Amino acid sequence: MTMTVNEIPANVHLVDHPLVQHKLTLIRDVKRSTSNFRQLLNEIGTLICYEITRELPLELVDIETPLAKIKSPMISGKKLVFAPILRAGVGFLDGMLSLVPSARVAHIGLYRDPKTLEAVEYYFKAPSDIADRLTMVLDPMLATGHSAIAAVAQLKKRGARDIRFICLIAAPEGILAFCEAHPDVPVWTAAIDDHLNDHGYIVPGLGDAGDRMFGTK
Ligand code: URA
């Protein structure tokens, strides 16, 4: 199922920065080592974080430089929560926290039932004030969309209202399912690949992100 540019839903944003695209090509390579894969995912996390925070509102605050008193911009408004879906979402986390060290972290444990491909929750821990924060859900692969849909539903149930979904590679099937389930949640991805295979893997994709990141295959 290939998706043409005209079929991409309006709230799906492509991160087309050359550095991200370059590193995405490197990370797709089957010969990439585990440590290099993890490092690249971290770096891409930092770069994507830079892109998705571009629209955060600013306010002018009073400061004093060694030479003068001025009004200078600082980020205002809601504070951030990074919410990696375990386990592959963790790959983005350190890179993002390096840019926004004060962000809080919510962990969402979901695994894919290998037969039904449905998401099953086994862990959830989020900051208690999540309703007042902007939540970025992290998962490198938006495949069937089941995990992403379930993770966002769990966050909404706990009060989160302002949510973005961040991935590295999305399948057309996952995008359509996710945007139908959560039309209020914008998606950020570096690539929209061709299709899902019969095992729910994205083609051409990069294989199993968790296994490649942690060397568990
Ligand atoms: N999860 C992965 O890690 N890779 C895929 O291709 C699909 C889901």
Side-chain angles (χ1 to χ4, degrees), residues 112 141 143 200-202 207-209:
R112 275 207 305 181
M141 311 301 278
Y201 281 94
I202 300 174
D208 189 302

Side-chain angles (χ1 to χ4, degrees), residues 11-13 162-166 178 182-188:
N11 61 349
V12 174
H13 305 276
D162 197 359
I163 306 172
R164 317 262 187 279
F165 184 82
I166 321 300
F178 184 84
H182 297 294
D184 55 319
V185 177
V187 174
W188 293 77

Side-chain angles (χ1 to χ4, degrees), residues 111-120 143-148 150 196-201:
Y111 69 86
R112 275 207 305 181
D113 183 299
K115 289 210 180 74
T116 64
L117 304 183
E118 292 292 334
V120 184
T144 60
H146 294 163
S147 305
L196 284 183
N197 70 13
D198 292 344
H199 304 286
Y201 281 94

Side-chain angles (χ1 to χ4, degrees), residues 14-26 189-191:
L14 273 174
V15 183
D16 57 2
H17 193 289
L19 277 172
V20 173
Q21 294 299 318
H22 178 87
K23 288 175 192 290
L24 173 58
T25 298
L26 295 179
T189 183

